[in-house]
């Protein structure tokens, strides 16, 4: 039941893109079903550590870049804050990760944890980037 709800919500989101909607209609499959399958496959690859780094890097860059473009083009300033803080936080995280990667690489399911963290930062309904910016990054930069 939860998977059906997720698939339905994903269909609503993916059908906003004419390219995806038109191609899914041609093959006769809902875009949410294909999206769920692709998402499941990507999670599987991350769990078995097959292409996990590239998958987490793409997730941390592609959707946020697209959403940032949409935010810049919209008249609402609130979404600008979401994405500007995302880029500040992900930048700080990337610098720390590049130094600490040699230690964290040995942690089991490191890329699963990293992917979950990046999704927490990027997804607008979690507002993870705004939270970390307000609680960690901003106080640190104000002190230094």
């Amino acid at each position: 039941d939860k998977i059906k709800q997720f698939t339905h919500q994903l269909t609503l989101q993916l059908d906003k893109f004419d390219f995806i909607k038109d191609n899914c209609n041609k093959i006769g499959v809902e875009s949410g079903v294909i999206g769920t399958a692709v998402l499941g496959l990507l999670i599987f690859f991350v769990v078995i550590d097959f292409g996990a780094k590239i998958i987490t890097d793409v997730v941390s860059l592609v959707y946020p870049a697209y959403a940032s473009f949409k935010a810049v083009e919209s008249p609402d300033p609130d979404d600008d804050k979401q994405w500007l803080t995302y880029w500040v936080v992900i930048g700080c995280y990337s610098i720390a990760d590049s130094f600490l990667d040699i230690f964290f690489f040995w942690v089991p399911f490191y890329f699963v944890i990293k992917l979950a963290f990046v999704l927490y930062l990027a997804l607008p309904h979690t507002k993870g980037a705004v939270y970390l910016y307000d609680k960690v990054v901003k106080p640190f930069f104000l002190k230094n």
Side-chain angles (χ1 to χ4, degrees), residues 58-70 83 86-87 118 122:
V58 166
V59 168
S60 70
L61 296 173
V62 174
Y63 172 71
Y66 174 76
S68 296
F69 167 77
K70 298 295 271 183
W83 293 111
Y86 172 80
W87 290 113
V118 166

Side-chain angles (χ1 to χ4, degrees), residues 95-106:
I95 291 168
D97 187 49
S98 66
F99 288 108
L100 300 174
D101 189 32
I102 58 172
F103 302 111
F104 290 141
F105 184 78
W106 299 104

Side-chain angles (χ1 to χ4, degrees), residues 34-45:
I34 293 174
T36 302
V38 168
L39 186 61
L41 189 62
L42 290 175
I43 291 170
F44 174 72
F45 284 154

Side-chain angles (χ1 to χ4, degrees), residues 89 117 120-121 127-138:
V89 171
F117 178 69
Y120 168 72
L121 293 177
K127 297 203 184 294
V130 174
Y131 178 80
L132 278 180
Y133 177 82
D134 289 339
K135 299 294 182 187
V136 178
V137 176
K138 183 178 176 181

Side-chain angles (χ1 to χ4, degrees), residues 2-135:
K2 296 233 183 223
I3 293 176
K4 285 182 182 180
Q5 286 178 323
F6 175 79
T7 303
H8 176 70
Q9 290 299 319
L10 191 56
T11 299
L12 295 175
Q13 294 300 317
L14 291 174
D15 281 351
K16 293 177 183 177
F17 302 98
D18 291 333
F19 172 78
I20 295 173
K21 185 177 181 179
D22 293 343
N23 285 308
C24 288
N25 287 338
K26 284 180 187 176
I27 61 173
V29 179
E30 283 186 30
S31 59
V33 172
I34 293 174
T36 302
V38 168
L39 186 61
L41 189 62
L42 290 175
I43 291 170
F44 174 72
F45 284 154
V46 170
V47 168
I48 65 169
D49 203 21
F50 180 76
K53 180 170 178 17
I54 190 73
I55 291 169
T56 55
D57 289 346
V58 166
V59 168
S60 70
L61 296 173
V62 174
Y63 172 71
Y66 174 76
S68 296
F69 167 77
K70 298 295 271 183
V72 167
E73 296 300 316
S74 79
D76 183 18
D78 290 337
D79 56 3
D80 294 354
K81 181 179 180 186
Q82 160 69 26
W83 293 111
L84 283 171
T85 55
Y86 172 80
W87 290 113
V88 170
V89 171
I90 202 71
C92 293
Y93 171 75
S94 294
I95 291 168
D97 187 49
S98 66
F99 288 108
L100 300 174
D101 189 32
I102 58 172
F103 302 111
F104 290 141
F105 184 78
W106 299 104
V107 173
F109 300 110
Y110 168 70
F111 285 106
V112 175
I113 296 165
K114 184 176 179 177
L115 181 61
F117 178 69
V118 166
L119 288 172
Y120 168 72
L121 293 177
L123 294 175
H125 67 276
T126 62
K127 297 203 184 294
V130 174
Y131 178 80
L132 278 180
Y133 177 82
D134 289 339
K135 299 294 182 187

